[in-house]
């Protein structure tokens, strides 16, 4: 069974940093690209970032480019999202999702990030 | 960026009934490789989204044949037949043809 488990969320002040992790199991992590998608409270889905299986290709949404960094450790089956210079508008539930053929075919349960003073 | 427009915002259906959700993209979703990367997701209350349909009309593993997708270019439709209680939630269309990937704003399905 494919499982994706996010962690690292929490309450953080504006301008500070936070690092999310997503541990994968049930599939060969190193064979798949991965995504981060977020959902602000009561809102829809917003794609945040993508990283290819070998980390050769990385893409970001304009709203986070220059502030967020996606990375992965295939030896640890773990995906990361380093978030810096956080803003109130970054408050959301952050999902990691496995990248199928240009589709998110498995999702984690989400990690909650609240940016507030 | 590709803007995805979903209609209606919400709809209510009786059990056993049929519904259609429309999704329109601001640009053609035909990729250079000839594929059209339009997908549908369902987010049940309190849960993470789940993939229903990919590449317009392909049902994901384990998805009931009550769900069907159709369309081409910029206009797409998700049909749900013989609606069951477990179908309630918010349906999102999404495009993976070009980065940034984008989603529609969602259609909330309620059961009468």
């Amino acid at each position: 069974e494919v499982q994706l488990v996010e962690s690292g969320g929490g309450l953080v002040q504006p301008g500070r940093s936070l690092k999310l992790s997503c541990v994968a199991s049930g599939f060969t992590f190193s064979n798949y690209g991965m995504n981060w998608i977020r959902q602000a409270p009561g809102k829809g889905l917003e794609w945040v970032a993508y990283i290819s299986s070998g980390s050769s290709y990385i893409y970001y949404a304009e709203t986070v480019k220059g502030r967020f960094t996606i990375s992965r450790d295939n030896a640890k089956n773990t995906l990361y999202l380093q978030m810096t210079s956080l803003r109130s508008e970054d408050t959301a539930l952050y999902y990691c999702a496995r990248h199928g053929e240009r589709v998110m075919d498995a999702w984690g349960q989400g990690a909650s990030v609240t940016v507030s003073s | 960026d590709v803007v995805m427009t979903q209609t209606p915002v919400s709809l209510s259906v009786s059990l056993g009934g049929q519904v259609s959700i429309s999704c329109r993209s601001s640009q053609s979703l035909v990729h250079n490789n000839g594929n059209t990367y339009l997908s549908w997701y369902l987010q049940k209350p309190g849960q993470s989204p789940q993939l229903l349909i990919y590449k317009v009309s392909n049902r994901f593993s384990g998805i009931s044949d009550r769900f069907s997708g159709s369309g081409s270019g910029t206009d797409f439709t998700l049909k749900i037949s013989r609606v069951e209680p477990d179908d309630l939630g918010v349906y999102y269309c999404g495009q993976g043809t070009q980065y940034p990937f984008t989603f529609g704003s969602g259609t909330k399905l309620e059961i009468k």
Side-chain angles (χ1 to χ4, degrees), chain A residues 35 37 39 43-47 50 59-62 93 95 98-99 101-110, chain B residues 31 35 37 39 41 43 47-51 53-55 60 92 95-105:
Chain A
N35 296 276
I37 298 103
Q39 186 170 35
K43 302 297 184 181
L45 303 172
E46 180 188 14
W47 172 83
Y50 162 81
Y59 304 104
Y60 296 99
E62 283 297 323
L93 190 60
Y95 296 103
R98 190 176 74 171
H99 190 89
E101 188 180 355
R102 290 179 168 266
V103 71
M104 277 63 83
D105 67 2
W107 298 63
Q109 86 289 349
Chain B
H31 191 271
N35 289 315
Y37 295 104
S39 50
Y41 302 86
Q43 187 171 31
Q47 295 187 20
S48 307
Q50 63 178 103
L51 176 64
I53 302 283
Y54 64 97
K55 287 198 290 186
F60 189 56
Y92 295 94
Q95 67 83 19
T97 296
Q98 63 175 261
Y99 290 96
F101 289 170
T102 48
F103 297 91
S105 53

Side-chain angles (χ1 to χ4, degrees), chain B residues 65-91:
Chain B
D65 60 4
R66 298 185 299 104
F67 294 89
S68 63
S70 62
S72 63
T74 61
D75 287 298
F76 305 93
T77 302
L78 175 70
K79 288 186 180 177
I80 312 168
S81 60
R82 306 186 303 281
V83 170
E84 299 179 356
D86 195 46
D87 297 338
L88 73 89
V90 180
Y91 290 80

Side-chain angles (χ1 to χ4, degrees), chain B residues 1 23 25 30 42 44 54 74 86 96 101 108:
Chain B
D1 297 2
C23 178
S25 58
V30 180
L42 165 60
K44 298 179 181 179
Y54 64 97
T74 61
D86 195 46
F101 289 170
K108 186 174 184 179

Side-chain angles (χ1 to χ4, degrees), chain B residues 23-36:
Chain B
C23 178
R24 183 166 292 178
S25 58
S26 61
Q27 305 172 33
S28 172
L29 296 187
V30 180
H31 191 271
N32 291 339
N33 63 14
N35 289 315
T36 300

Side-chain angles (χ1 to χ4, degrees), chain A residues 8-12 18 20 111-115:
Chain A
L11 172 64
V12 61
L18 201 63
L20 304 181
S112 179
V113 173
T114 301
V115 183

